[in-house]
Amino acid sequence: TVELHIPLEGVHKLLLAESPVCRPEYREQMVSAAFETFPGLEKLCLASTAHLALLASGRKTGMILECGDSVCHAVPLREFCIVPEGVMRLEMGGRDLTSYLQKLLAARHGWDSCETRRRSMFMRDCKERHCFVRLNPADGDLGVDEVTYEEEEPFSLAEERWRCLEALFDPSLVGVEGMGLPELLHSSISRCPVALQPELCTSIICVGGSTMHPGFQER
């Protein structure tokens, strides 16, 4: 409200996005906090991020792959309703990729492994600007040019640019037990009714910052 130059009393209608598997007690806390924060609030709508993504795509049925800061979800929806048996969750997100990039760079440049808030924000910016998904990591050297990124001191990015995002396909790289995103999608769709599966396979919607890296959707 500060950035929009709107006083708290001036907010009368509010839309809050929630996790696809938000627990009832968390939802109650969100509602309570909203009415306490905005004295003039008259109407409040809670909607899952999966529903909002599907709505934005113009579809009623689809498969949502959401990669957030700390968790990834695969959420199938039919006629705008979540298919509960198909919801899958991976305890990994963009925050883990940022830490992994820092670890890769520290190993090559001899940095200390201390992770400060400033360093983490810097690495996150570096990841968003320079990292991409390699279509086939088993291929030979692609001859990726090193990128010099200047902050306090220059350093270079070489194979770290694509190795960082490999954790999305192999979570064990960041110490997380679970299947990679392709397997997560396959498992989610397989749990849905057979008649629904073909439509879900052709209506996959990727959501979240980690899905915006070059090469992600092609992979």
Side-chain angles (χ1 to χ4, degrees):
T1 58
V2 174
E3 294 180 0
L4 295 175
H5 304 290
I6 300 175
L8 296 179
E9 295 78 9
V11 177
H12 302 294
K13 300 177 181 179
L14 186 64
L15 169 65
L16 293 179
E18 62 180 4
S19 167
V21 289
C22 186
R23 296 168 60 179
E25 54 266 34
Y26 293 158
R27 188 176 295 113
E28 292 176 3
Q29 292 175 11
M30 291 172 62
V31 171
S32 177
F35 281 101
E36 291 174 1
T37 304
F38 304 104
L41 189 62
E42 299 173 356
K43 296 182 179 180
L44 174 65
C45 176
L46 291 179
S48 77
T49 50
H51 281 105
L52 294 175
L54 188 67
L55 181 64
S57 73
R59 298 180 176 93
K60 292 183 178 181
T61 297
M63 183 75 214
I64 306 298
L65 175 62
E66 179 183 350
C67 298
D69 184 54
S70 59
V71 66
C72 295
H73 284 105
V75 185
L77 295 99
R78 176 174 53 189
E79 292 298 321
F80 216 58
C81 294
I82 291 178
V83 182
E85 62 269 26
V87 177
M88 301 288 292
R89 178 185 176 101
L90 175 63
E91 299 292 339
M92 186 191 74
R95 185 185 309 172
D96 300 283
L97 299 177
T98 300
S99 298
Y100 186 44
L101 176 60
Q102 179 174 330
K103 180 180 178 181
L104 292 172
L105 289 171
R108 187 159 68 90
H109 291 287
W111 296 346
D112 62 70
S113 58
C114 179
E115 184 172 331
T116 63
R117 177 175 175 79
R118 181 176 180 180
R119 173 70 65 82
S120 180
M121 292 180 65
F122 173 42
M123 285 292 104
R124 176 180 176 181
D125 184 67
C126 182
K127 177 192 69 177
E128 293 174 351
R129 287 174 181 264
H130 299 296
C131 291
F132 63 92
V133 175
R134 194 171 176 177
L135 296 183
N136 187 1
D139 286 343
D141 185 10
L142 293 179
V144 177
D145 294 333
E146 294 197 357
V147 177
T148 300
Y149 194 98
E150 296 184 0
E151 180 68 6
E152 295 180 357
E153 60 182 40
F155 67 92
S156 60
L157 282 167
E159 61 179 13
E160 296 88 1
R161 297 177 68 194
W162 62 268
R163 287 183 61 193
C164 166
L165 299 180
E166 281 304 303
L168 292 171
F169 306 93
D170 182 5
S172 65
L173 293 173
V174 293
V176 174
E177 292 186 3
M179 58 188 74
L181 295 186
E183 292 78 16
L184 193 75
L185 278 172
H186 182 270
S187 180
S188 175
I189 293 174
S190 298
R191 295 183 177 203
C192 296
V194 175
L196 179 62
Q197 293 179 13
E199 186 172 2
L200 294 178
C201 288
T202 58
S203 304
I204 298 175
I205 303 165
C206 299
V207 184
S210 296
T211 69
M212 297 176 66
H213 290 282
F216 178 86
Q217 297 201 27
E218 291 81 356
R219 174 80 173 266

